[in-house]
Amino acid sequence: MFQVIGGRSVQAARVLAPRSAVLVEAVRGRKSRTDPVAKSKVGRIKVPPPVDPVEMVVLKERYGEYQMIMRALRLEFKEEMLRKRYEEDTGSLAEERARQEAQEHRVLMDLNHLENQRMLKLRIVRVQMEKEEADRKKFEVILQREQEQQEIVKEKEKEILKLQEAAKNFITLENLDQRIEEALDNPKNYNFAIDKQGKVVKQTMLQ
């Protein structure tokens, strides 16, 4: 007798059994809701089997990993299937789109090259103008320094002329006697008082 597990086992038994044998399917009956409890199970209390906590934690972790792996596999298979279907449906469109994108890329690269050339010319002009402006400012600074030097030289020349003019009245060994005689002939009184405006208000008489 074959043990019946499913429909396939029954079919296999039928194929392998001799033609003259009588096939009897062993079907386990089910109790109805109104049938009483079996005498062997009266008063029995179902106690769940003991569960190891460590084993339960390990099983939960492995079951979570299993679910994650299966979910990833399903998503990968689904993505591959959708990609193949999309490639089959839009193969020619993808080629046309790739060709258009390549052509658009070439056009954009040409425009970029032209823009770079234009910016290069503007940059050269700007650098040239900045250089000319820097040279002009440098020339102005040099010219201003030369003018300041010339003014300083003129001031020094004026001071030298004044000193030369004043040197004519200096007392030297050659004109010492003459200056003494002039001082005696023309005495000057420096003993006087002045007011706030600088006027002489009081002066003593020479003796």
Side-chain angles (χ1 to χ4, degrees), residues 168-184:
K168 295 178 181 179
N169 298 323
F170 288 172
I171 298 175
T172 61
L173 292 176
E174 289 78 7
N175 60 3
L176 179 61
D177 296 335
Q178 181 181 355
R179 290 301 180 90
I180 292 173
E181 293 177 358
E182 290 178 357
L184 292 175

Side-chain angles (χ1 to χ4, degrees), residues 17-170:
R19 294 176 181 268
S20 60
V22 178
L23 298 177
V24 178
E25 295 182 3
V27 180
R28 182 179 178 182
R30 297 184 60 85
K31 293 174 61 176
S32 64
R33 294 180 181 275
T34 58
D35 291 341
V37 181
K39 293 180 180 181
S40 60
K41 296 181 179 180
V42 174
R44 187 185 69 169
I45 300 175
K46 291 185 178 181
V47 179
V51 178
D52 187 3
V54 178
E55 183 180 359
M56 180 59 68
V57 172
V58 174
L59 290 176
K60 285 185 177 180
E61 291 179 356
R62 291 183 178 179
Y63 183 67
E65 293 177 357
Y66 168 77
Q67 286 184 332
M68 183 174 61
I69 293 172
M70 294 302 295
R71 189 181 302 111
L73 289 174
R74 284 194 295 269
L75 291 175
E76 186 175 358
F77 292 154
K78 183 178 180 181
E79 183 180 358
E80 184 178 0
M81 182 183 65
L82 293 175
R83 184 173 62 254
K84 288 182 178 180
R85 184 181 301 174
Y86 177 78
E87 290 177 354
E88 291 176 357
D89 295 340
T90 61
S92 59
L93 296 178
E95 293 178 358
E96 181 65 21
R97 189 182 300 109
R99 188 182 63 79
Q100 292 179 358
E101 290 178 356
Q103 183 178 2
E104 184 179 358
H105 178 71
R106 287 193 298 270
V107 172
L108 292 176
M109 289 298 293
D110 294 338
L111 291 176
N112 189 24
H113 180 69
L114 294 175
E115 182 66 17
N116 289 336
Q117 293 294 328
R118 187 180 69 85
M119 294 301 296
L120 178 61
K121 293 179 181 179
L122 294 177
R123 191 180 302 110
I124 292 173
V125 173
R126 188 183 72 249
V127 171
Q128 184 67 25
M129 292 177 62
E130 291 177 355
K131 183 179 180 181
E132 293 177 356
E133 182 68 16
D135 294 339
R136 185 182 63 80
K137 290 183 178 180
K138 185 177 180 180
F139 177 75
E140 290 178 355
V141 171
I142 295 174
L143 183 62
Q144 184 178 1
R145 289 180 180 177
E146 291 180 354
Q147 291 177 355
E148 292 176 355
Q149 291 292 333
Q150 291 178 359
E151 291 178 358
I152 292 173
V153 170
K154 289 180 180 180
E155 292 292 333
K156 295 298 181 182
E157 289 177 353
K158 290 181 180 179
E159 292 178 1
I160 291 172
L161 292 176
K162 288 181 180 179
L163 290 174
Q164 290 177 353
E165 187 67 24
K168 295 178 181 179
N169 298 323
F170 288 172

